[in-house]
Amino acid sequence: MGTAKTGRKLHLNAFLMDTGHHEASWRLPESDPYAVWDVEYYKRVARIAERGKLDSIFFADSPAQGHDPARRPPGKLEPTVLLTVIAGATEHIGLIATASTSYNEPFNLARRFASVDIASNGRVGWNIVTTAGADAARNFSFDDVPPHKERYERADEFVHVATKLWDSWADDATIADKAAGVHTVPALVRPINHRGRFFRVDGPLNSPRPPQGWPLLVQAGSSEDGKEFAATWAEAVFTAQQTLEESQAFYTDLKARAVRRGRDPESIKILPGIVPVIGDTEAAARDLEDQLERLIDPEHQKRNLADRFRLDPDALDLDRPLPLDLLPKEDEIQDAKSRYTLIVDLARRENLTVRQLIARLGGGRGHRTFTGTPVQVADTIQHYFENGAADGFNIMPAVLPSGLEAFVDKVVPILQERGLFRTEYEGTTLRDHYGLARPANQIHTAGVAS
Amino acid sequence: MGTAKTGRKLHLNAFLMDTGHHEASWRLPESDPYAVWDVEYYKRVARIAERGKLDSIFFADSPAQGHDPARRPPGKLEPTVLLTVIAGATEHIGLIATASTSYNEPFNLARRFASVDIASNGRVGWNIVTTAGADAARNFSFDDVPPHKERYERADEFVHVATKLWDSWADDATIADKAAGVHTVPALVRPINHRGRFFRVDGPLNSPRPPQGWPLLVQAGSSEDGKEFAATWAEAVFTAQQTLEESQAFYTDLKARAVRRGRDPESIKILPGIVPVIGDTEAAARDLEDQLERLIDPEHQKRNLADRFRLDPDALDLDRPLPLDLLPKEDEIQDAKSRYTLIVDLARRENLTVRQLIARLGGGRGHRTFTGTPVQVADTIQHYFENGAADGFNIMPAVLPSGLEAFVDKVVPILQERGLFRTEYEGTTLRDHYGLARPANQIHTAGVAS
Ligand SMILES: Cc1cc2nc3c(=O)[nH]c(=O)nc-3n(C[C@H](O)[C@H](O)[C@H](O)COP(=O)(O)O)c2cc1C
Ligand SMILES: Cc1cc2nc3c(=O)[nH]c(=O)nc-3n(C[C@H](O)[C@H](O)[C@H](O)COP(=O)(O)O)c2cc1C
């Protein structure tokens, strides 16, 4: 592939997880398994991403333990705290934290994101999730996860309230007139008096409007409800897709939904995930992949998969195809609907045995694993980018920090040479990096009390 | 006064607020009124406290705007975020953040404090508050503040759940056995299965046990319910007292309550607040005090006071005593009961006019203002400390950073010379500074699954 066909630039996010996305990454000789509780480790990894001029780093989250403690680290530092630490150790890179609308209050979360945006000089983004999983629900006085539709309805009202709170102060509300004794102009700090189905919030927020107006709104739901939500609110969308065709369909569909809501299709950036397994030769890349696969415990993963499918583990045979006729329908799934469908489609399309399916999920958990040389990885990215499938990519290194270093030091320079990616940061905020406008204030127009 | 009578050491906390505790501090020529939204400012102030070897810094908080935006900065950076920033800019000093049990979920808060404790290498404390004020309630779908008693019942259950969550992991749960494929030992990470009146929380926490076991538990309620709560949970107690006798009575009472619960009286440190207005001469100190008083708007404060007393502002005359017969009884007050009583007692005892009362509150909001030379301030502190009134002090500079600098550079050296205060940090954690033990794990005893 050659130089860019247009002046359009790629956006790249590094999705950081533990010692890597592969569940067995901590078992590699190079990995420090205690690093997952060590803020110095995350600072180092973030600086690697910043060296590559990436738009942002991102931490996923769920307020629950989530999996067997033996297999992979059963916990995470809280993302807004961790990204605040990283803000102090970096200068440019955007910082995207996941937080749940199902298990937080809008006032608290709006305020915390405002504070992190201030602490980072306008570099924060919020990955808005509704949180699948009964384990999380049971940490918040629920017996089971609330219905999928209701979670998205709550999310919609939650974000509505949060944006109103961020807008409750005019940008220039503080005038600090010492002589007159007016610190902040009362008329420029207004209650929001929200009265809704899920929340009643008077406001105003007890924090100035964030540097970015609102933090960047990021989202990753792929179900029907998830896509409607994204089309309404999201400015960047993470998505898991296995093929070019699926990515194109998702891309076209989501942009069209945004347009139907009166939005500019450029105001929503779509970033499929890719797990790049990079070697200087194809053989070296393949070796790395094999090394990771050998560290997976298939019996344990079989139990996990059975759980997801609500089947008895004995119904699955590692060396036979997935028993498609036994599986539930997507509309019976209340937690992560779209991920469920993706996994079933992958198994069906490639006619994978349970063992093969497990190997594919160990690396990317449904995201596309791409094993190859730096040029091959760059080619794939360019191909998707130039063929209506992506505005950029969510880079999910199987092993950290080495997988991110390989990407930054070997793939990024190729993308830069081809004119597809920045060679220096051009703006200062996360919105600047993604080329997204600072939102106008809904409550105070043009800085004047209306 | 002379050198210390015993080897017992004082504990000193710096209570940082905006550009100072005096509501008009931002109007002084030396103050930068925009600094209140600037993390660099707070880092500088924290480093001054650390230069003085203080035990800790502390930020108060309420999830509401709280007062007229014109008079003083109507917002705050969220304390756990702000202290995370400061953790990266300091090495030793303890970091105490306020968070409300009435408007948070225990899982979220326990986890966030665990993360800040990890990020600060064991330097975090939690000032546990139940949050008075209908304005906060109305940001969380309540019509009014929940009853005082119920707030404290919820607080008790909240802290119970939080401590169980911190103890849900054994200290040595992560073993990272790469060969066996065991990252964290499942038996050393246990659910808590809490079922209570306010919360049902399965757990475990998705975070390792914090470096301090639990963050230091701090509290500041002075009502009957507040003192019972403190006697049960608090390891450090902030309190507002106007006289030596009141301080002694509070000190004796609270230690006795702790003993009745089977606690060692040394395990609860009592720190009355003091607003030191320091001048090299008494006249210089008095000048500084006058300068601040002149910046208060008495008409505005009269309205505030009337609000607190649920009176029509016209019922108050600035130049006459407080109309004691018109005031409600403490048990009719649902928000900050003990502060109400303190203010009424102060006005009665000193027979203050409304104007005089306002001047006293502008500085310390009920805390003791002490105006004098460095030696006089040190004498007062020593006198309280050696006469059963305090284990240390909560230093509330009227103006920041200058008031803290004066304290650190002029008063601290006197206390050090007298052998009352450390000259170097001796331990590394906030618990070390206060001489408080790391709590034993309630769930995993001696690191062995029981
Ligand atoms: C890259 C990516 C990251 C995600 N991160 C999180 C996360 O951190 N927390 C979470 O609860 N869900 C996360 N999700 C899941 C989605 O938010 C969503 O729940 C899931 O895709 C199912 O979507 P649906 O409920 O709309 O079907 C992520 C999804 C993707 C593709
Ligand atoms: C030094 C000090 C600091 C306090 N900080 C806070 C605070 O940050 N947030 C809060 O809601 N209350 C704060 N309080 C108030 C107490 O937590 C408590 O609500 C108040 O003293 C009334 O106590 P009571 O409700 O037990 O009567 C503070 C009190 C003192 C003495």
Side-chain angles (χ1 to χ4, degrees):
Chain A
M1 228 163 281
T3 52
K5 296 183 188 151
T6 67
R8 193 170 148 247
K9 288 278 195 292
L10 268 171
H11 299 286
L12 296 174
N13 173 72
F15 180 173
L16 306 180
M17 186 179 276
D18 306 342
T19 52
H21 280 271
H22 198 286
E23 71 145 33
S25 58
W26 67 270
R27 296 179 65 189
L28 291 175
E30 73 183 70
S31 294
D32 170 9
Y34 291 96
V36 299
W37 322 134
D38 178 2
V39 295
E40 298 304 322
Y41 163 73
Y42 294 103
K43 288 189 203 172
R44 271 198 310 276
V45 177
R47 288 199 204 101
I48 296 168
E50 188 166 74
R51 183 171 93 210
K53 319 291 178 204
L54 267 51
D55 294 65
S56 49
I57 58 172
F58 159 64
F59 290 101
D61 196 53
S62 172
Q65 184 187 269
H67 45 251
D68 181 349
R71 301 300 146 184
R72 68 179 300 156
K76 290 186 191 317
L77 297 175
E78 195 283 321
T80 61
V81 169
L82 179 53
L83 286 170
T84 300
V85 171
I86 293 174
T90 54
E91 274 180 75
H92 304 285
I93 197 159
L95 310 164
I96 302 174
T98 298
S100 175
T101 55
S102 299
Y103 306 119
N104 280 289
E105 286 284 335
F107 191 93
N108 289 335
L109 211 57
R111 183 181 181 207
R112 204 149 85 244
F113 274 98
S115 285
V116 183
D117 206 41
I118 291 170
S120 65
N121 294 314
R123 294 191 280 140
V124 84
W126 171 22
N127 178 39
I128 307 165
V129 298
T130 61
T131 310
D135 51 350
R138 293 200 189 104
N139 290 329
F140 297 90
S141 301
F142 291 91
D143 292 323
D144 202 346
V145 61
H148 193 268
K149 192 166 196 64
E150 186 181 312
R151 292 201 327 271
Y152 273 104
E153 284 162 357
R154 179 179 160 115
D156 185 68
E157 189 179 324
F158 193 114
V159 180
H160 181 81
V161 175
T163 62
K164 292 269 181 183
L165 287 169
W166 292 316
D167 289 347
S168 64
W169 291 45
D171 285 299
D172 53 1
T174 295
I175 61 167
D177 182 336
K178 291 183 179 184
V182 178
H183 185 274
T184 297
V185 181
L188 297 182
V189 177
R190 297 256 197 99
I192 65 165
N193 293 325
H194 173 82
R195 296 287 174 273
R197 176 173 157 213
F198 296 93
F199 307 109
R200 285 176 295 134
V201 180
D202 277 10
L205 198 61
N206 57 347
S207 163
R209 195 162 191 248
Q212 295 186 103
W214 310 347
L216 188 74
L217 302 182
V218 181
Q219 210 265 348
S222 291
S223 63
E224 190 58 29
D225 295 331
K227 283 188 281 199
E228 286 298 293
F229 181 89
T232 307
W233 291 111
E235 302 176 283
V237 174
F238 296 143
T239 174
Q241 306 291 339
Q242 282 287 334
T243 66
L244 177 67
E245 295 67 35
E246 281 171 2
S247 296
Q248 287 167 328
F250 181 86
Y251 187 93
T252 308
D253 177 40
L254 198 53
K255 296 263 175 174
R257 288 179 199 245
V259 170
R260 283 202 290 279
R261 273 171 187 67
R263 294 179 63 190
D264 176 353
E266 292 292 307
S267 72
I268 176 168
K269 306 296 182 193
I270 300 177
L271 311 177
I274 184 171
V275 181
V277 179
I278 303 168
D280 287 336
T281 61
E282 281 185 51
R286 184 71 50 202
D287 274 357
L288 179 55
E289 196 179 28
D290 287 349
Q291 188 186 3
L292 285 163
E293 267 176 33
R294 278 193 303 273
L295 293 173
I296 293 178
D297 173 353
E299 281 301 331
H300 167 76
Q301 288 294 352
K302 196 178 90 168
R303 285 193 299 278
N304 274 358
L305 207 57
D307 231 43
R308 189 187 275 273
F309 295 143
R310 302 173 181 210
L311 293 177
D312 189 310
D314 293 339
L316 300 180
D317 181 329
L318 279 171
D319 296 306
R320 299 179 61 100
L322 201 62
L324 295 170
D325 47 319
L326 298 181
L327 304 183
K329 300 271 165 292
E330 179 178 304
D331 59 15
E332 295 168 47
I333 297 288
Q334 280 303 327
D335 30 28
K337 272 185 197 293
S338 53
R339 191 61 58 85
Y340 169 78
T341 303
L342 183 147
I343 292 170
V344 175
D345 286 352
L346 170 65
R348 178 187 291 127
R349 190 177 51 245
E350 304 192 13
N351 197 24
L352 300 176
T353 64
V354 171
R355 191 187 301 277
Q356 287 167 328
L357 181 61
I358 285 168
R360 292 289 287 270
L361 298 179
R365 299 189 318 286
H367 288 262
R368 182 157 186 244
T369 302
F370 186 90
T371 305
T373 64
V375 169
Q376 288 171 332
V377 174
D379 284 351
T380 296
I381 288 176
Q382 182 170 359
H383 190 61
Y384 273 61
F385 181 60
E386 293 183 341
N387 288 282
D391 295 310
F393 273 86
N394 187 20
I395 309 301
M396 302 171 57
V399 185
L400 284 170
S402 62
L404 183 62
E405 272 178 323
F407 186 84
V408 158
D409 295 335
K410 297 180 177 169
V411 181
V412 166
I414 299 172
L415 297 171
Q416 289 171 328
E417 254 166 55
R418 294 183 184 173
L420 291 164
F421 193 59
R422 72 173 68 81
T423 52
E424 288 302 335
Y425 288 104
E426 282 154 26
T428 62
T429 69
L430 176 55
R431 290 183 171 277
D432 290 340
H433 303 340
Y434 278 96
L436 292 164
R438 189 170 189 277
N441 192 314
Q442 308 162 76
I443 296 180
H444 302 274
T445 46
V448 175
S450 56
Chain B
M1 228 163 281
T3 52
K5 294 182 191 155
T6 67
R8 190 169 151 249
K9 288 279 194 293
L10 267 171
H11 299 286
L12 296 174
N13 172 71
F15 180 174
L16 305 180
M17 185 178 277
D18 306 342
T19 52
H21 280 271
H22 198 286
E23 70 145 35
S25 58
W26 66 271
R27 296 179 66 188
L28 292 174
E30 73 184 71
S31 295
D32 170 10
Y34 291 96
V36 299
W37 322 133
D38 179 2
V39 295
E40 298 303 323
Y41 162 73
Y42 294 103
K43 289 189 202 171
R44 269 198 310 277
V45 177
R47 287 199 205 101
I48 295 168
E50 189 167 74
R51 183 172 92 211
K53 319 291 178 205
L54 267 52
D55 294 65
S56 49
I57 58 171
F58 158 65
F59 290 101
D61 196 53
S62 171
Q65 184 188 271
H67 46 249
D68 181 349
R71 301 300 145 184
R72 70 180 302 158
K76 290 185 191 318
L77 297 176
E78 195 283 321
T80 61
V81 169
L82 179 54
L83 287 169
T84 300
V85 171
I86 293 174
T90 54
E91 276 181 73
H92 304 284
I93 197 158
L95 310 164
I96 302 174
T98 298
S100 175
T101 54
S102 299
Y103 306 119
N104 280 290
E105 287 283 336
F107 191 93
N108 288 335
L109 212 58
R111 182 181 181 207
R112 205 150 83 244
F113 274 98
S115 285
V116 183
D117 205 42
I118 291 170
S120 64
N121 294 314
R123 293 191 281 142
V124 83
W126 172 22
N127 178 39
I128 307 165
V129 298
T130 62
T131 310
D135 51 351
R138 294 199 189 106
N139 289 330
F140 296 90
S141 302
F142 290 90
D143 291 324
D144 203 346
V145 61
H148 192 266
K149 193 166 197 63
E150 185 180 312
R151 291 200 328 271
Y152 273 103
E153 284 162 358
R154 179 179 160 114
D156 185 68
E157 189 179 324
F158 194 114
V159 179
H160 181 82
V161 174
T163 62
K164 292 268 181 183
L165 287 169
W166 291 317
D167 289 347
S168 63
W169 290 46
D171 285 298
D172 52 0
T174 295
I175 60 166
D177 183 337
K178 291 184 180 184
V182 178
H183 185 274
T184 296
V185 180
L188 297 182
V189 178
R190 298 257 197 98
I192 65 166
N193 293 326
H194 172 84
R195 297 287 174 270
R197 176 172 157 214
F198 296 93
F199 306 108
R200 286 176 295 135
V201 180
D202 278 9
L205 197 60
N206 57 347
S207 163
R209 193 160 192 249
Q212 295 185 103
W214 309 349
L216 188 75
L217 302 182
V218 181
Q219 210 264 350
S222 290
S223 62
E224 190 58 29
D225 295 330
K227 283 188 280 199
E228 285 298 293
F229 182 89
T232 307
W233 291 110
E235 302 175 283
V237 174
F238 297 142
T239 174
Q241 306 291 340
Q242 281 288 332
T243 66
L244 177 67
E245 294 67 34
E246 281 170 3
S247 297
Q248 287 167 328
F250 181 85
Y251 187 93
T252 308
D253 177 40
L254 199 53
K255 296 263 175 173
R257 288 179 198 244
V259 170
R260 284 203 289 280
R261 272 171 186 67
R263 294 179 63 190
D264 176 353
E266 292 292 306
S267 72
I268 176 167
K269 306 294 183 193
I270 299 178
L271 311 178
I274 184 170
V275 181
V277 180
I278 302 167
D280 287 335
T281 62
E282 282 185 52
R286 185 70 50 201
D287 273 358
L288 179 55
E289 195 179 29
D290 287 348
Q291 189 188 2
L292 285 163
E293 267 177 33
R294 276 193 305 274
L295 293 174
I296 293 177
D297 172 353
E299 281 301 330
H300 168 76
Q301 289 293 353
K302 196 178 90 169
R303 284 193 301 277
N304 275 358
L305 208 57
D307 231 43
R308 189 187 276 271
F309 294 143
R310 300 170 183 212
L311 293 177
D312 189 309
D314 293 338
L316 300 180
D317 181 329
L318 279 170
D319 295 307
R320 298 179 61 103
L322 200 62
L324 295 170
D325 48 318
L326 298 181
L327 303 184
K329 299 272 166 292
E330 179 178 304
D331 58 15
E332 296 167 46
I333 297 288
Q334 281 304 327
D335 32 27
K337 274 186 197 293
S338 53
R339 190 60 59 84
Y340 169 78
T341 304
L342 184 147
I343 292 170
V344 175
D345 286 352
L346 169 65
R348 178 186 291 125
R349 187 176 54 243
E350 305 192 14
N351 196 24
L352 300 176
T353 64
V354 171
R355 190 187 300 280
Q356 287 167 328
L357 181 61
I358 285 168
R360 292 289 287 271
L361 298 180
R365 300 189 317 284
H367 287 262
R368 179 155 189 246
T369 301
F370 186 91
T371 304
T373 64
V375 169
Q376 288 171 332
V377 174
D379 285 350
T380 295
I381 288 176
Q382 180 169 0
H383 189 61
Y384 273 62
F385 181 61
E386 293 183 341
N387 288 281
D391 295 310
F393 274 86
N394 188 20
I395 309 300
M396 303 170 57
V399 186
L400 283 170
S402 62
L404 182 63
E405 273 178 323
F407 186 83
V408 158
D409 295 335
K410 297 181 176 167
V411 181
V412 166
I414 299 173
L415 297 171
Q416 289 171 328
E417 254 166 56
R418 295 183 186 173
L420 291 165
F421 193 59
R422 72 173 66 82
T423 52
E424 288 302 333
Y425 288 104
E426 282 154 26
T428 62
T429 70
L430 176 55
R431 289 183 172 276
D432 290 340
H433 302 340
Y434 278 96
L436 292 163
R438 189 170 188 277
N441 192 315
Q442 308 163 75
I443 296 180
H444 302 274
T445 47
V448 174
S450 55

